[in-house]
Amino acid sequence: MEEAIRFVEGNDELARALGVEGPEELAVRPLAQGEHNVNFLLRAGDGRRFVLRINCASQLGLADQIGYEYGALRVLAPSGRTPEPLYVDGTRRRIGRGVLVESFVEGSWIDLRDPRQVREAARALADVHSVAAPPDGVLLRPEDPLRAQLESCRRLFDGYRESDLAEARVVGAVDELLALAQRAVDAALAASTAERSHVLNTEAVPSHFLIDAAGRASIVDWEKPVLGEVAQDVACFLSPTTTIWDSDVVFDAEGRTQFLDVYWEAVGGRFPRGSFDARFPAYRMVNALVGITWSCNAWVEYRDPARPLRNERTLRLLPAYFSEEFLDLVRRDCFATQ
């Protein structure tokens, strides 16, 4: 909180960007804390609200993480589904951290038990994925997104495997899933260059989808956008490792099919389906592993006293992701074709 107040105080450049007479008109209060960013609500004297986002670490390993996120939001503006970027300071001169200010998005978290809201989430993803790709260099573009995602899972799990906290049961189960996913990735058809040029959120979790009073969805938190295949985001949204983080919902086969039907109807020919169906099963496997291996690695990281942020809710949820019951569920739900 003190960092946010220090950043705002005396910041005439910020005041001009937000259209207020001076920084003293901006009231600051805590809003939400993630794993790598802390968010604050800025309220202007005329009632307008903004989100001030302070970055503490980069999952992508970027020197200017906050500038990267700002650039992604500018690219995504035509979708009408994302916050508007209003101000960025990646110099770190004021408080030693990068800061982004964006428009405040009205709404509440999506309710996965409400079919109307789930369908609206599919339409929001379709609109985001239909945005024209930016010029080269604006966003990262993995050479082979599917294989890159699997390799990221391996690196994350190595952090757990090599720690004193590793359990033989977990290592054996996850190694089995990694081997099954590797075979699926190797067998998947190569996607065309065009299919790898869509802007992805890469963390399409329910808490990133906000539904307003009119029932329209927006997608917030663009910490890890890349250019890639739409199957990655769609698989992430439908994965049990995603849905149980904020609910007890696990999409069955019928629910997944209904979501895909709405998604492709909303795309409406703005881009081709291409090899989506051939590679989607492999993305389902890999995205399930993303949640599991991230949780295993985070379980180790949370024991590091030097970690800059600590989310107590996350700490409580982590063990569920490598429990025997959940690993069996994932094996049945996402790896049944193997």
Side-chain angles (χ1 to χ4, degrees), residues 291-310:
I292 293 168
T293 57
W294 182 90
S295 297
C296 289
N297 184 70
W299 185 246
V300 175
E301 285 190 349
Y302 262 66
R303 267 54 187 177
D304 183 355
R307 181 180 174 84
L309 292 180
R310 180 184 177 91

Side-chain angles (χ1 to χ4, degrees), residues 49-296:
R49 292 180 292 176
F50 313 94
V51 174
L52 184 150
R53 188 167 169 84
I54 297 178
N55 178 247
C56 298
S58 173
Q59 293 190 74
L60 296 173
L62 301 174
D64 184 15
Q65 168 65 42
I66 211 70
Y68 183 81
E69 188 169 341
Y70 176 85
L73 289 173
R74 291 190 63 184
V75 169
L76 289 163
S79 74
R81 298 284 192 170
T82 57
E84 179 186 0
L86 302 170
Y87 176 85
V88 66
D89 183 353
T91 66
R92 306 184 183 183
R93 287 196 296 266
R94 296 186 67 91
I95 59 171
R97 301 188 190 276
V99 178
L100 167 68
V101 178
E102 58 192 42
S103 61
F104 179 84
V105 177
E106 300 282 353
S108 56
W109 284 3
I110 184 174
D111 182 355
L112 296 179
R113 297 179 187 83
D114 186 336
R116 294 170 300 177
Q117 293 192 16
V118 172
R119 291 193 294 270
E120 175 62 8
R123 290 188 283 267
L125 269 181
D127 286 344
V128 162
H129 291 162
S130 298
V131 169
D136 289 345
V138 175
L139 294 176
L140 299 175
R141 187 198 301 261
E143 183 176 351
D144 185 338
L146 182 54
R147 198 172 299 277
Q149 201 174 16
L150 181 58
E151 288 307 309
S152 175
C153 291
R154 292 190 187 281
R155 290 192 297 271
L156 283 172
F157 194 60
D158 283 344
Y160 174 85
R161 186 200 308 277
E162 296 166 3
S163 79
D164 295 336
L165 299 173
E167 298 180 46
R169 170 190 62 82
V170 177
V171 172
V174 176
D175 277 346
E176 177 189 356
L177 298 182
L178 285 166
L180 291 172
Q182 184 67 64
R183 288 202 288 272
V185 169
D186 291 341
L189 297 174
S192 69
T193 300
E195 291 171 332
R196 298 178 184 176
S197 61
H198 302 278
V199 182
L200 309 181
N201 180 273
T202 73
E203 295 180 312
V205 301
S207 59
H208 290 178
F209 289 75
L210 299 182
I211 306 288
D212 66 17
R216 181 175 173 80
S218 297
I219 306 176
V220 299
D221 199 330
W222 287 87
E223 183 181 348
K224 293 176 58 182
V226 300
L227 294 178
E229 299 174 68
V230 299
Q232 180 174 339
D233 267 356
V234 177
C236 179
F237 184 87
L238 295 174
S239 175
T241 56
T242 297
T243 60
I244 72 158
W245 189 262
D246 299 309
S247 73
D248 58 1
V249 172
V250 174
F251 288 107
D252 58 16
E254 181 181 0
R256 291 193 296 270
T257 298
Q258 291 174 351
F259 185 91
L260 291 176
D261 287 345
V262 174
Y263 173 83
W264 285 108
E265 181 181 0
V267 169
R270 286 180 285 180
F271 57 86
R273 191 156 180 158
S275 59
F276 177 93
D277 295 306
R279 290 171 66 85
F280 184 63
Y283 267 112
R284 288 198 67 229
M285 296 179 198
V286 172
N287 271 275
L289 281 166
V290 167
I292 293 168
T293 57
W294 182 90
S295 297
C296 289

